[in-house]
Amino acid sequence: MAMIYDADTERVREETEDPRAMLRPLEVADLLDLHINTVYRLFKKNIVPAFKLGGSWHIYKKDLIDFIEKHSG
C-alpha cells in the first residue's frame, strides 16, 4: 500500500502545539484531509502509532507529527 500524504507539516504543528496532547480519529481525519474510515484503518493496521483508551482510539500529537514528517517527500 503506497502511503502518500500531502499534509502541510507546519500547519499540523501549529494546530498541535502541545505534543503531549492527544487527538481523536476525527481530528486526525480533518488535519490530514482523510476520510474517517481511512484513519481507523491506519490505526487498526498499526500504520499510525495510535492506541485505545477507554475503548476509543487516540494518538499523541507528537506521534502524528513524526508520522507526517517520516512519510512526507
Side-chain angles (χ1 to χ4, degrees):
M1 172 195 321
M3 301 293 296
I4 300 174
Y5 295 102
D6 189 20
D8 182 356
T9 305
E10 287 305 314
R11 179 180 146 242
V12 173
R13 189 179 306 279
E14 288 170 8
E15 293 183 22
T16 59
E17 291 177 10
D18 182 2
R20 294 170 296 167
M22 293 183 280
L23 297 169
R24 292 179 179 238
L26 191 57
E27 295 167 311
V28 174
D30 183 50
L31 286 169
L32 298 182
D33 195 26
L34 296 173
H35 191 276
I36 186 72
N37 291 340
T38 302
V39 173
Y40 281 120
R41 191 169 39 254
L42 292 171
F43 286 2
K44 288 176 185 176
K45 291 185 176 183
N46 203 28
I47 295 170
V48 176
F51 56 94
K52 277 197 168 184
L53 181 65
S56 299
W57 284 100
H58 293 78
I59 181 172
Y60 285 110
K61 292 179 181 182
K62 169 114 174 69
D63 291 341
L64 180 61
I65 292 168
D66 292 344
F67 173 80
I68 292 168
E69 289 176 345
K70 180 179 177 185
H71 291 88
S72 293

